[in-house]
Amino acid sequence: MATFDGSYVLVGFDGSPGAERALRRAVEEARVRRLPLTVCHAWHWPYPVPPSGPEALETARRMGRHTLEHGVFVARQLRPALTVRPRFATGPASAVLIDESENAALAVVGSHGRGGFAGLGAGSTALHLAAYGHCPVLVMRDDPEPGGPIVVGVDGSPAAEAALAFAYEEAALRGRSVRAVFACWEAEAIASAEMGMLRDPEQLRMLGAARLERTVCPWREKYPYVETETSLVMRTPRHALLEAAADAGLLVVGDRGLGGVPGLRLGSVSHAVLVHAPCSVAVVRPRR
C-alpha cells in the first residue's frame, strides 16, 4: 500500500525524550504500513577530549548499545507482533541516518536529541536528515501531536507533487483529512505567459485557484474517501503554511519548491517550517 518503495521504517534513537516520541510514532507508522521497523543508534565518542584509554572508549560504546537495546525493548513492548531490527553504527547521527535512509520508506526523528534545546525548532540532525535523506523524513515536535488535518504545501513543483502523494497516503492510513495550501504570492507560482495579470489581484487569485484545483483533483479522485479542503492564500508560502499549521496534526512539504535556489538540498520554505512550525513536519522529495 505504501507510495514509497522502501523496505522498512527507520527511527533514530538516542534515549532522549524527543527520541522516545519519535520511536512511538515510528512504531505506529510501521504498523499501519505493514513494514518492519529499524531502530538506529549512532554512536561516537561524546566528549571534546579523547578517551583516556580503551577501557573508557569501550564503556562509552557499551552505554550506546544499552541505549539501543532500550529502544528496541520499548518498540517490541508497544507492538509485540512488529518486526524490530536494531542498528548500531559508529559516526555522527546525521551521517548514519542519511546512509540508513537509502532503503527506507520513511525516517522518523525527534526535533531534538541529547544536547538539543527544546523550543528552538528542529536540531541539526533533523535538519541534515531532512536536507539529505533519501526518503520522506518525519520530524516529531516536542508537544503532543494534535488531531487536526494533514496540511500540505502545493506549488506545482515535482517535490510538492511528492508531498501530496505522502500527505494523502498518510491521511488514508490514519483516518485524517487533508488541507492543501497554495500560496499565490511569489512570481514562480504563476506561469510566465500569465505574468501580465500580476497587477490584478482578482485575476491572480483566479489563476492560483485554477492551478490548485488542477493539482489536487487527481488525488481527490484516487482517495475519494479522504476529506479534502483546498486553501488559496495571498501570502508568502512561509507565512501561509505556518498559519495553516496552527491546528494541524502534521505539516507536509516538498524539499524544494518552484522558487528554490538551484543547488540547495532544502528550500527556504522547508527550512522555515522545520524551525518554526507548531506541529510535526514531514519533508518529502521526489524519488530519483
Side-chain angles (χ1 to χ4, degrees), residues 51-195:
S52 57
E55 295 83 3
L57 191 66
E58 184 56 32
T59 297
R61 185 180 286 111
R62 281 201 303 270
M63 291 173 62
R65 289 194 178 276
H66 176 74
T67 298
L68 175 61
E69 289 167 3
H70 172 67
V72 170
F73 173 79
V74 170
R76 288 173 174 161
Q77 288 290 107
L78 289 169
R79 290 287 172 186
L82 185 67
T83 300
V84 181
R85 305 166 177 166
R87 176 73 173 98
F88 186 77
T90 302
S94 57
V96 168
L97 290 171
I98 289 167
D99 184 59
E100 292 293 322
S101 73
E102 187 167 1
N103 295 311
L106 175 68
V108 186
V109 290
S111 57
H112 294 280
R114 294 201 178 278
F117 295 93
L120 296 181
S124 60
T125 296
L127 287 171
H128 276 93
L129 182 59
Y132 294 97
H134 301 281
C135 67
V137 175
L138 175 54
V139 179
M140 295 296 297
R141 278 288 181 266
D142 295 333
D143 296 330
E145 184 184 358
I150 294 175
V151 173
V152 56
V154 176
D155 68 0
S157 66
E161 190 71 11
L164 269 169
F166 181 87
Y168 269 91
E169 180 190 40
E170 191 72 7
L173 289 170
R174 305 181 73 82
R176 297 285 181 87
S177 61
V178 168
R179 181 188 299 159
V181 177
F182 182 66
C184 193
W185 177 270
E186 293 183 335
E188 290 84 354
I190 300 299
S192 58
E194 301 163 342
M195 288 294 289

Side-chain angles (χ1 to χ4, degrees), residues 135-279:
C135 67
V137 175
L138 175 54
V139 179
M140 295 296 297
R141 278 288 181 266
D142 295 333
D143 296 330
E145 184 184 358
I150 294 175
V151 173
V152 56
V154 176
D155 68 0
S157 66
E161 190 71 11
L164 269 169
F166 181 87
Y168 269 91
E169 180 190 40
E170 191 72 7
L173 289 170
R174 305 181 73 82
R176 297 285 181 87
S177 61
V178 168
R179 181 188 299 159
V181 177
F182 182 66
C184 193
W185 177 270
E186 293 183 335
E188 290 84 354
I190 300 299
S192 58
E194 301 163 342
M195 288 294 289
M197 299 179 182
L198 284 174
R199 294 192 183 94
D200 186 339
E202 190 55 35
Q203 285 282 64
L204 182 61
R205 184 183 293 275
M206 289 174 59
L207 291 168
R211 170 171 285 192
L212 174 59
E213 289 302 321
R214 285 196 307 269
T215 303
V216 174
C217 184
W219 297 102
R220 269 194 174 126
E221 293 176 355
K222 184 175 181 179
Y223 294 92
Y225 45 87
V226 172
E227 182 182 344
T228 301
E229 172 192 355
T230 56
S231 177
L232 178 70
V233 185
M234 304 298 284
R235 301 193 68 188
T236 62
R238 176 186 309 193
H239 290 98
L241 290 172
L242 290 176
E243 186 176 86
D247 65 340
L250 176 67
L251 175 59
V252 185
V253 293
D255 58 340
R256 296 175 64 246
L258 290 174
V261 178
L264 290 182
R265 294 299 298 268
L266 195 64
S268 60
V269 174
S270 303
H271 185 277
V273 300
L274 279 167
V275 174
H276 298 293
C279 62

Side-chain angles (χ1 to χ4, degrees), residues 16-26 108 110 140-144:
S16 65
E20 292 271 2
R21 282 184 285 272
L23 178 65
R24 291 177 180 274
R25 178 59 178 267
V108 186
M140 295 296 297
R141 278 288 181 266
D142 295 333
D143 296 330

